Every structure is written in C-alpha cells, then in structure tokens.
CSV table of all heavy atoms in Angstrom, one decimal:
chain,number,residue,atom,x,y,z
J,1,MET,N,0.8,-1.2,0.0
J,1,MET,CA,0.0,0.0,0.0
J,1,MET,C,0.9,1.3,0.0
J,1,MET,O,0.4,2.3,-0.4
J,1,MET,CB,-0.9,0.0,1.2
J,1,MET,CG,-2.1,-0.9,1.1
J,1,MET,SD,-3.1,-0.7,-0.3
J,1,MET,CE,-3.9,0.9,0.1
J,2,GLU,N,2.1,1.1,0.5
J,2,GLU,CA,3.0,2.3,0.5
J,2,GLU,C,3.2,2.8,-0.9
J,2,GLU,O,3.2,4.1,-1.1
J,2,GLU,CB,4.3,1.8,1.2
J,2,GLU,CG,5.3,3.0,1.4
J,2,GLU,CD,6.5,2.4,2.1
J,2,GLU,OE1,6.4,1.7,3.1
J,2,GLU,OE2,7.6,2.8,1.6
J,3,LYS,N,3.5,2.0,-1.8
J,3,LYS,CA,3.7,2.4,-3.2
J,3,LYS,C,2.5,3.0,-3.9
J,3,LYS,O,2.6,3.9,-4.7
J,3,LYS,CB,4.3,1.3,-4.1
J,3,LYS,CG,5.7,1.0,-3.7
J,3,LYS,CD,6.3,-0.1,-4.6
J,3,LYS,CE,7.8,-0.3,-4.1
J,3,LYS,NZ,8.4,-1.3,-5.0
J,4,PHE,N,1.3,2.5,-3.5
J,4,PHE,CA,0.1,3.0,-4.0
J,4,PHE,C,-0.1,4.4,-3.6
J,4,PHE,O,-0.6,5.3,-4.3
J,4,PHE,CB,-1.1,2.1,-3.6
J,4,PHE,CG,-2.4,2.5,-4.3
J,4,PHE,CD1,-2.6,2.1,-5.6
J,4,PHE,CD2,-3.3,3.2,-3.6
J,4,PHE,CE1,-3.8,2.5,-6.2
J,4,PHE,CE2,-4.5,3.5,-4.2
J,4,PHE,CZ,-4.7,3.2,-5.6
J,5,ALA,N,0.2,4.7,-2.3
J,5,ALA,CA,0.1,6.1,-1.8
J,5,ALA,C,1.1,7.0,-2.5
J,5,ALA,O,0.8,8.1,-2.8
J,5,ALA,CB,0.4,6.1,-0.3
J,6,LYS,N,2.3,6.5,-2.9
J,6,LYS,CA,3.2,7.3,-3.7
J,6,LYS,C,2.7,7.6,-5.0
J,6,LYS,O,2.9,8.7,-5.5
J,6,LYS,CB,4.5,6.5,-3.8
J,6,LYS,CG,5.4,6.5,-2.6
J,6,LYS,CD,6.7,5.8,-2.8
J,6,LYS,CE,7.5,5.7,-1.6
J,6,LYS,NZ,8.8,5.0,-1.8
J,7,ILE,N,1.9,6.7,-5.6
J,7,ILE,CA,1.3,7.0,-6.9
J,7,ILE,C,0.3,8.1,-6.8
J,7,ILE,O,0.3,9.0,-7.6
J,7,ILE,CB,0.6,5.7,-7.5
J,7,ILE,CG1,1.6,4.8,-8.1
J,7,ILE,CG2,-0.4,6.1,-8.6
J,7,ILE,CD1,1.1,3.5,-8.7
J,8,LYS,N,-0.5,8.1,-5.8
J,8,LYS,CA,-1.5,9.2,-5.6
J,8,LYS,C,-0.8,10.5,-5.4
J,8,LYS,O,-1.2,11.5,-5.9
J,8,LYS,CB,-2.4,8.9,-4.4
J,8,LYS,CG,-3.3,7.7,-4.7
J,8,LYS,CD,-4.3,7.3,-3.6
J,8,LYS,CE,-4.3,7.9,-2.3
J,8,LYS,NZ,-5.4,7.3,-1.4
J,9,GLU,N,0.3,10.5,-4.6
J,9,GLU,CA,1.1,11.8,-4.4
J,9,GLU,C,1.7,12.3,-5.7
J,9,GLU,O,1.7,13.5,-6.0
J,9,GLU,CB,2.2,11.5,-3.4
J,9,GLU,CG,1.8,11.3,-2.0
J,9,GLU,CD,2.9,10.9,-1.1
J,9,GLU,OE1,4.1,11.1,-1.4
J,9,GLU,OE2,2.6,10.4,0.0
J,10,LEU,N,2.2,11.3,-6.5
J,10,LEU,CA,2.8,11.7,-7.8
J,10,LEU,C,1.8,12.3,-8.7
J,10,LEU,O,2.1,13.3,-9.4
J,10,LEU,CB,3.5,10.5,-8.4
J,10,LEU,CG,4.3,10.7,-9.7
J,10,LEU,CD1,5.4,11.7,-9.5
J,10,LEU,CD2,4.9,9.4,-10.1
J,11,VAL,N,0.7,11.7,-8.8
J,11,VAL,CA,-0.4,12.2,-9.7
J,11,VAL,C,-0.8,13.7,-9.3
J,11,VAL,O,-0.9,14.6,-10.1
J,11,VAL,CB,-1.6,11.3,-9.7
J,11,VAL,CG1,-2.8,12.0,-10.4
J,11,VAL,CG2,-1.3,10.0,-10.4
J,12,ALA,N,-0.9,13.9,-8.0
J,12,ALA,CA,-1.2,15.2,-7.4
J,12,ALA,C,-0.2,16.2,-7.8
J,12,ALA,O,-0.4,17.4,-8.1
J,12,ALA,CB,-1.5,15.1,-5.9
J,13,SER,N,1.1,15.8,-7.7
J,13,SER,CA,2.2,16.7,-7.9
J,13,SER,C,2.3,17.1,-9.4
J,13,SER,O,2.7,18.2,-9.8
J,13,SER,CB,3.5,16.2,-7.4
J,13,SER,OG,3.9,15.1,-8.2
J,14,VAL,N,1.9,16.2,-10.3
J,14,VAL,CA,2.0,16.4,-11.7
J,14,VAL,C,0.8,17.3,-12.2
J,14,VAL,O,0.9,18.0,-13.2
J,14,VAL,CB,2.0,15.1,-12.5
J,14,VAL,CG1,1.9,15.3,-14.0
J,14,VAL,CG2,3.3,14.4,-12.2
J,15,GLU,N,-0.3,17.3,-11.4
J,15,GLU,CA,-1.5,18.0,-11.9
J,15,GLU,C,-1.2,19.5,-12.1
J,15,GLU,O,-1.7,20.0,-13.1
J,15,GLU,CB,-2.5,17.8,-10.8
J,15,GLU,CG,-3.9,18.4,-11.2
J,15,GLU,CD,-5.0,18.2,-10.2
J,15,GLU,OE1,-4.7,17.7,-9.1
J,15,GLU,OE2,-6.1,18.5,-10.5
J,16,THR,N,-0.5,20.1,-11.3
J,16,THR,CA,-0.2,21.6,-11.5
J,16,THR,C,0.5,21.8,-12.8
J,16,THR,O,0.2,22.7,-13.5
J,16,THR,CB,0.6,22.1,-10.3
J,16,THR,OG1,-0.1,21.9,-9.1
J,16,THR,CG2,0.9,23.6,-10.4
J,17,ASP,N,1.6,21.0,-13.0
J,17,ASP,CA,2.3,21.2,-14.3
J,17,ASP,C,1.5,20.9,-15.5
J,17,ASP,O,1.6,21.5,-16.5
J,17,ASP,CB,3.6,20.3,-14.2
J,17,ASP,CG,4.6,20.9,-13.3
J,17,ASP,OD1,4.8,22.1,-13.2
J,17,ASP,OD2,5.3,20.1,-12.6
J,18,ALA,N,0.6,19.9,-15.4
J,18,ALA,CA,-0.3,19.5,-16.5
J,18,ALA,C,-1.2,20.7,-16.8
J,18,ALA,O,-1.4,21.1,-18.0
J,18,ALA,CB,-1.1,18.3,-16.2
J,19,GLU,N,-1.7,21.4,-15.8
J,19,GLU,CA,-2.6,22.6,-16.0
J,19,GLU,C,-1.8,23.7,-16.7
J,19,GLU,O,-2.2,24.3,-17.7
J,19,GLU,CB,-3.1,23.1,-14.7
J,19,GLU,CG,-4.2,22.2,-14.2
J,19,GLU,CD,-4.8,22.7,-12.8
J,19,GLU,OE1,-4.5,23.9,-12.5
J,19,GLU,OE2,-5.4,21.9,-12.1
J,20,LYS,N,-0.5,23.9,-16.3
J,20,LYS,CA,0.3,24.9,-16.9
J,20,LYS,C,0.6,24.6,-18.3
J,20,LYS,O,0.6,25.5,-19.2
J,20,LYS,CB,1.6,25.0,-16.1
J,20,LYS,CG,1.5,25.7,-14.8
J,20,LYS,CD,2.9,25.7,-14.1
J,20,LYS,CE,2.8,26.3,-12.7
J,20,LYS,NZ,4.1,26.3,-12.0
J,21,PHE,N,0.8,23.3,-18.6
J,21,PHE,CA,1.2,22.9,-20.0
J,21,PHE,C,0.0,23.0,-20.9
J,21,PHE,O,0.0,23.7,-22.0
J,21,PHE,CB,1.7,21.5,-20.0
J,21,PHE,CG,2.0,21.0,-21.4
J,21,PHE,CD1,3.0,21.5,-22.2
J,21,PHE,CD2,1.2,20.1,-22.0
J,21,PHE,CE1,3.3,21.1,-23.4
J,21,PHE,CE2,1.4,19.6,-23.3
J,21,PHE,CZ,2.5,20.1,-24.0
J,22,TYR,N,-1.2,22.5,-20.5
J,22,TYR,CA,-2.3,22.4,-21.4
J,22,TYR,C,-3.1,23.8,-21.4
J,22,TYR,O,-3.6,24.1,-22.5
J,22,TYR,CB,-3.3,21.3,-20.9
J,22,TYR,CG,-2.8,20.0,-21.3
J,22,TYR,CD1,-2.4,19.1,-20.3
J,22,TYR,CD2,-2.7,19.5,-22.6
J,22,TYR,CE1,-1.9,17.8,-20.6
J,22,TYR,CE2,-2.2,18.3,-22.9
J,22,TYR,CZ,-1.8,17.4,-21.9
J,22,TYR,OH,-1.4,16.2,-22.2
J,23,ASN,N,-3.1,24.5,-20.3
J,23,ASN,CA,-3.9,25.8,-20.3
J,23,ASN,C,-3.1,27.0,-20.7
J,23,ASN,O,-3.6,27.9,-21.3
J,23,ASN,CB,-4.6,26.0,-19.0
J,23,ASN,CG,-5.6,24.9,-18.7
J,23,ASN,OD1,-6.2,24.3,-19.6
J,23,ASN,ND2,-5.8,24.6,-17.4
J,24,ALA,N,-1.8,27.0,-20.3
J,24,ALA,CA,-1.0,28.2,-20.5
J,24,ALA,C,0.1,27.9,-21.6
J,24,ALA,O,0.8,28.9,-22.0
J,24,ALA,CB,-0.3,28.6,-19.2
J,25,GLY,N,0.3,26.7,-22.1
J,25,GLY,CA,1.2,26.4,-23.1
J,25,GLY,C,2.7,26.5,-22.6
J,25,GLY,O,3.6,26.7,-23.4
J,26,ASN,N,2.9,26.3,-21.4
J,26,ASN,CA,4.2,26.3,-20.8
J,26,ASN,C,5.0,25.0,-21.2
J,26,ASN,O,4.7,23.9,-20.6
J,26,ASN,CB,4.1,26.5,-19.3
J,26,ASN,CG,5.4,26.6,-18.6
J,26,ASN,OD1,6.4,26.1,-19.0
J,26,ASN,ND2,5.4,27.3,-17.5
J,27,ALA,N,6.0,25.2,-22.0
J,27,ALA,CA,6.7,24.0,-22.5
J,27,ALA,C,7.5,23.3,-21.4
J,27,ALA,O,7.7,22.1,-21.4
J,27,ALA,CB,7.6,24.4,-23.7
J,28,ALA,N,8.1,24.1,-20.5
J,28,ALA,CA,8.9,23.5,-19.4
J,28,ALA,C,8.0,22.6,-18.5
J,28,ALA,O,8.4,21.6,-18.1
J,28,ALA,CB,9.6,24.6,-18.6
J,29,ALA,N,6.8,23.1,-18.3
J,29,ALA,CA,5.8,22.3,-17.5
J,29,ALA,C,5.5,21.0,-18.2
J,29,ALA,O,5.4,19.9,-17.6
J,29,ALA,CB,4.5,23.1,-17.3
J,30,GLY,N,5.5,21.0,-19.6
J,30,GLY,CA,5.3,19.8,-20.3
J,30,GLY,C,6.4,18.8,-20.1
J,30,GLY,O,6.1,17.6,-20.0
J,31,THR,N,7.6,19.3,-20.0
J,31,THR,CA,8.7,18.4,-19.8
J,31,THR,C,8.6,17.7,-18.4
J,31,THR,O,8.9,16.5,-18.2
J,31,THR,CB,10.1,19.2,-19.8
J,31,THR,OG1,10.2,19.7,-21.2
J,31,THR,CG2,11.3,18.3,-19.6
J,32,ARG,N,8.2,18.5,-17.4
J,32,ARG,CA,8.0,18.0,-16.1
J,32,ARG,C,6.8,17.0,-16.0
J,32,ARG,O,6.9,16.0,-15.3
J,32,ARG,CB,7.7,19.1,-15.1
J,32,ARG,CG,8.9,20.0,-14.8
J,32,ARG,CD,8.7,21.0,-13.7
J,32,ARG,NE,7.7,21.9,-13.9
J,32,ARG,CZ,7.8,23.1,-14.6
J,32,ARG,NH1,9.0,23.5,-15.0
J,32,ARG,NH2,6.8,23.9,-14.7
J,33,VAL,N,5.8,17.2,-16.8
J,33,VAL,CA,4.7,16.2,-16.9
J,33,VAL,C,5.2,14.9,-17.5
J,33,VAL,O,4.9,13.9,-17.0
J,33,VAL,CB,3.5,16.8,-17.8
J,33,VAL,CG1,2.5,15.7,-18.1
J,33,VAL,CG2,2.9,18.0,-17.0
J,34,ARG,N,6.0,15.0,-18.6
J,34,ARG,CA,6.5,13.8,-19.2
J,34,ARG,C,7.4,13.0,-18.2
J,34,ARG,O,7.3,11.8,-18.1
J,34,ARG,CB,7.3,14.1,-20.4
J,34,ARG,CG,6.5,14.6,-21.6
J,34,ARG,CD,7.3,14.9,-22.8
J,34,ARG,NE,8.0,13.7,-23.2
J,34,ARG,CZ,9.3,13.8,-23.6
J,34,ARG,NH1,10.0,14.9,-23.6
J,34,ARG,NH2,9.9,12.7,-24.0
J,35,LYS,N,8.2,13.7,-17.4
J,35,LYS,CA,9.0,13.0,-16.4
J,35,LYS,C,8.2,12.4,-15.4
J,35,LYS,O,8.4,11.2,-15.0
J,35,LYS,CB,10.0,14.0,-15.8
J,35,LYS,CG,11.0,13.3,-14.8
J,35,LYS,CD,11.7,14.2,-13.9
J,35,LYS,CE,12.6,13.6,-12.9
J,35,LYS,NZ,12.0,12.6,-12.1
J,36,GLY,N,7.2,13.1,-14.9
J,36,GLY,CA,6.3,12.6,-13.9
J,36,GLY,C,5.5,11.3,-14.4
J,36,GLY,O,5.3,10.4,-13.6
J,37,MET,N,5.1,11.4,-15.6
J,37,MET,CA,4.4,10.2,-16.2
J,37,MET,C,5.3,9.0,-16.3
J,37,MET,O,4.9,7.9,-16.1
J,37,MET,CB,3.8,10.6,-17.6
J,37,MET,CG,2.7,11.6,-17.5
J,37,MET,SD,1.2,10.9,-16.6
J,37,MET,CE,1.4,11.8,-15.1
J,38,GLN,N,6.6,9.3,-16.6
J,38,GLN,CA,7.6,8.2,-16.7
J,38,GLN,C,7.8,7.6,-15.3
J,38,GLN,O,7.8,6.3,-15.2
J,38,GLN,CB,8.9,8.6,-17.3
J,38,GLN,CG,9.9,7.5,-17.5
J,38,GLN,CD,9.5,6.5,-18.5
J,38,GLN,OE1,8.9,6.9,-19.5
J,38,GLN,NE2,9.7,5.3,-18.3
J,39,ASP,N,7.9,8.4,-14.3
J,39,ASP,CA,8.0,7.9,-12.9
J,39,ASP,C,6.8,7.1,-12.5
J,39,ASP,O,6.9,6.1,-11.9
J,39,ASP,CB,8.2,9.1,-12.0
J,39,ASP,CG,9.6,9.8,-12.2
J,39,ASP,OD1,10.5,9.2,-12.8
J,39,ASP,OD2,9.7,11.0,-11.7
J,40,LEU,N,5.6,7.6,-12.9
J,40,LEU,CA,4.4,6.9,-12.6
J,40,LEU,C,4.4,5.5,-13.3
J,40,LEU,O,4.0,4.5,-12.6
J,40,LEU,CB,3.2,7.8,-13.1
J,40,LEU,CG,1.8,7.2,-12.8
J,40,LEU,CD1,1.6,7.1,-11.3
J,40,LEU,CD2,0.8,8.2,-13.4
J,41,LYS,N,4.8,5.5,-14.5
J,41,LYS,CA,4.8,4.2,-15.2
J,41,LYS,C,5.8,3.2,-14.5
J,41,LYS,O,5.4,2.0,-14.3
J,41,LYS,CB,5.3,4.4,-16.6
J,41,LYS,CG,5.5,3.2,-17.4
J,41,LYS,CD,6.1,3.5,-18.8
J,41,LYS,CE,6.6,2.2,-19.4
J,41,LYS,NZ,7.5,2.4,-20.6
J,42,ASN,N,6.9,3.7,-14.1
J,42,ASN,CA,7.9,2.8,-13.4
J,42,ASN,C,7.3,2.3,-12.1
J,42,ASN,O,7.5,1.1,-11.8
J,42,ASN,CB,9.2,3.5,-13.2
J,42,ASN,CG,9.9,3.8,-14.5
J,42,ASN,OD1,9.7,3.1,-15.5
J,42,ASN,ND2,10.8,4.8,-14.6
J,43,LEU,N,6.7,3.2,-11.3
J,43,LEU,CA,6.2,2.8,-10.1
J,43,LEU,C,5.0,1.8,-10.2
J,43,LEU,O,4.9,0.8,-9.5
J,43,LEU,CB,5.7,4.1,-9.3
J,43,LEU,CG,5.3,3.9,-7.9
J,43,LEU,CD1,6.4,3.2,-7.0
J,43,LEU,CD2,5.0,5.3,-7.3
J,44,ALA,N,4.2,2.1,-11.2
J,44,ALA,CA,3.1,1.1,-11.5
J,44,ALA,C,3.6,-0.2,-11.9
J,44,ALA,O,3.0,-1.3,-11.5
J,44,ALA,CB,2.2,1.7,-12.6
J,45,GLN,N,4.7,-0.3,-12.6
J,45,GLN,CA,5.3,-1.6,-13.0
J,45,GLN,C,5.8,-2.3,-11.8
J,45,GLN,O,5.7,-3.5,-11.7
J,45,GLN,CB,6.4,-1.4,-14.0
J,45,GLN,CG,6.9,-2.7,-14.6
J,45,GLN,CD,5.9,-3.5,-15.4
J,45,GLN,OE1,5.1,-2.9,-16.1
J,45,GLN,NE2,5.9,-4.8,-15.2
J,46,GLU,N,6.4,-1.6,-10.8
J,46,GLU,CA,6.9,-2.2,-9.6
J,46,GLU,C,5.7,-2.8,-8.8
J,46,GLU,O,5.8,-3.9,-8.3
J,46,GLU,CB,7.6,-1.2,-8.7
J,46,GLU,CG,8.9,-0.7,-9.3
J,46,GLU,CD,9.6,0.4,-8.4
J,46,GLU,OE1,9.2,0.5,-7.2
J,46,GLU,OE2,10.4,1.1,-9.0
J,47,ILE,N,4.6,-2.1,-8.8
J,47,ILE,CA,3.5,-2.5,-8.0
J,47,ILE,C,2.9,-3.8,-8.7
J,47,ILE,O,2.5,-4.8,-8.0
J,47,ILE,CB,2.4,-1.4,-7.9
J,47,ILE,CG1,2.9,-0.3,-7.0
J,47,ILE,CG2,1.1,-2.0,-7.4
J,47,ILE,CD1,2.0,0.9,-6.9
J,48,ARG,N,2.8,-3.8,-10.0
J,48,ARG,CA,2.4,-5.0,-10.8
J,48,ARG,C,3.2,-6.2,-10.4
J,48,ARG,O,2.7,-7.3,-10.2
J,48,ARG,CB,2.4,-4.7,-12.3
J,48,ARG,CG,1.3,-3.8,-12.8
J,48,ARG,CD,1.5,-3.6,-14.3
J,48,ARG,NE,1.7,-5.0,-14.9
J,48,ARG,CZ,1.0,-5.4,-15.9
J,48,ARG,NH1,0.0,-4.7,-16.4
J,48,ARG,NH2,1.2,-6.6,-16.3
J,49,ALA,N,4.5,-6.0,-10.4
J,49,ALA,CA,5.4,-7.1,-10.1
J,49,ALA,C,5.2,-7.6,-8.7
J,49,ALA,O,5.2,-8.8,-8.4
J,49,ALA,CB,6.9,-6.7,-10.3
J,50,GLU,N,5.0,-6.7,-7.7
J,50,GLU,CA,4.8,-7.1,-6.3
J,50,GLU,C,3.5,-7.9,-6.2
J,50,GLU,O,3.4,-8.9,-5.5
J,50,GLU,CB,4.7,-5.9,-5.4
J,50,GLU,CG,6.0,-5.3,-5.0
J,50,GLU,CD,5.8,-4.1,-4.1
J,50,GLU,OE1,4.7,-3.9,-3.6
J,50,GLU,OE2,6.8,-3.5,-3.8
J,51,VAL,N,2.4,-7.4,-6.9
J,51,VAL,CA,1.1,-8.1,-6.8
J,51,VAL,C,1.2,-9.5,-7.4
J,51,VAL,O,0.7,-10.4,-6.8
J,51,VAL,CB,0.0,-7.2,-7.5
J,51,VAL,CG1,-1.3,-8.0,-7.7
J,51,VAL,CG2,-0.2,-5.9,-6.8
J,52,THR,N,1.9,-9.6,-8.5
J,52,THR,CA,2.0,-10.9,-9.2
J,52,THR,C,2.8,-11.8,-8.3
J,52,THR,O,2.4,-13.0,-8.1
J,52,THR,CB,2.7,-10.7,-10.5
J,52,THR,OG1,1.9,-9.9,-11.4
J,52,THR,CG2,2.9,-12.1,-11.2
J,53,GLU,N,3.9,-11.3,-7.7
J,53,GLU,CA,4.7,-12.2,-6.8
J,53,GLU,C,3.9,-12.6,-5.6
J,53,GLU,O,3.9,-13.8,-5.2
J,53,GLU,CB,5.9,-11.4,-6.3
J,53,GLU,CG,6.8,-12.2,-5.4
J,53,GLU,CD,8.0,-11.4,-5.0
J,53,GLU,OE1,8.4,-10.5,-5.7
J,53,GLU,OE2,8.5,-11.7,-3.9
J,54,LYS,N,3.2,-11.7,-5.0
J,54,LYS,CA,2.4,-12.0,-3.8
J,54,LYS,C,1.2,-13.0,-4.1
J,54,LYS,O,1.0,-14.0,-3.4
J,54,LYS,CB,1.8,-10.8,-3.2
J,54,LYS,CG,1.1,-11.0,-1.8
J,54,LYS,CD,0.8,-9.7,-1.2
J,54,LYS,CE,0.3,-10.0,0.2
J,54,LYS,NZ,0.2,-8.8,1.0
J,55,LYS,N,0.6,-12.8,-5.3
J,55,LYS,CA,-0.5,-13.7,-5.7
J,55,LYS,C,0.0,-15.1,-6.0
J,55,LYS,O,-0.6,-16.1,-5.6
J,55,LYS,CB,-1.1,-13.1,-7.0
J,55,LYS,CG,-2.3,-13.9,-7.5
J,55,LYS,CD,-2.9,-13.3,-8.7
J,55,LYS,CE,-2.1,-13.9,-9.9
J,55,LYS,NZ,-2.6,-13.6,-11.2
J,56,ASN,N,1.2,-15.2,-6.5
J,56,ASN,CA,1.8,-16.5,-6.9
J,56,ASN,C,2.4,-17.3,-5.7
J,56,ASN,O,2.6,-18.5,-5.8
J,56,ASN,CB,2.8,-16.4,-8.0
J,56,ASN,CG,2.1,-16.0,-9.3
J,56,ASN,OD1,0.9,-16.3,-9.5
J,56,ASN,ND2,2.9,-15.4,-10.2
J,57,THR,N,2.7,-16.6,-4.6
J,57,THR,CA,3.2,-17.3,-3.5
J,57,THR,C,2.2,-17.9,-2.6
J,57,THR,O,2.5,-18.6,-1.7
J,57,THR,CB,4.1,-16.3,-2.7
J,57,THR,OG1,3.4,-15.2,-2.2
J,57,THR,CG2,5.3,-15.9,-3.5
J,58,LYS,N,0.9,-17.6,-2.8
J,58,LYS,CA,-0.1,-18.1,-1.9
J,58,LYS,C,-0.6,-19.4,-2.4
J,58,LYS,O,-0.6,-19.9,-3.4
J,58,LYS,CB,-1.3,-17.1,-1.8
J,58,LYS,CG,-0.9,-15.9,-1.0
J,58,LYS,CD,-2.1,-15.1,-0.8
J,58,LYS,CE,-1.8,-13.9,0.2
J,58,LYS,NZ,-2.8,-13.1,0.6
C-alpha cells in the first residue's frame, strides 16, 4: 500500500504542471509532466510485479 500512496502523491504533484502545460502552453511544464508520467509508469510496473509475486506465493 505504501507504493500505491506514492502513486497518488505523484499524480497530485503532476497535476499543477499539467494545467500549466495544457492551459498556458508552458513547454517546461510539459517536460515535467513527461518526467512525472515516466516515474508513474515505473512505479506502476513495480506494483504490478509485487502483486504478481504475492499472488503466486499463496
């Protein structure tokens, strides 16, 4: 559950930059959004692996 909480925090932190990019056209904010999304992808993959491992050990 710890990593799931990190995902929620990450999404919240990217939200401000997403608004700046989509509404104000701030290119630097777009770069931060892309980095945040990559971090989110990696964290989600870690959670998937944990879930699969836990499911298969039972």
Side-chain angles (χ1 to χ4, degrees):
M1 284 304 288
E2 185 178 311
K3 288 185 181 182
F4 189 77
K6 286 182 183 180
I7 283 183
K8 291 184 352 183
E9 290 173 18
L10 185 56
V11 168
S13 70
V14 171
E15 185 175 8
T16 303
D17 286 323
E19 287 179 16
K20 288 179 184 177
F21 176 71
Y22 287 110
N23 296 333
N26 184 330
T31 301
R32 291 189 296 273
V33 169
R34 289 182 58 225
K35 183 193 179 306
M37 292 295 103
Q38 185 65 39
D39 294 343
L40 182 62
K41 175 186 168 194
N42 292 337
L43 190 54
Q45 187 62 39
E46 289 176 23
I47 292 171
R48 285 180 48 128
E50 280 182 10
V51 168
T52 300
E53 181 181 331
K54 189 170 185 168
K55 185 180 88 173
N56 290 337
T57 58
K58 287 189 174 185

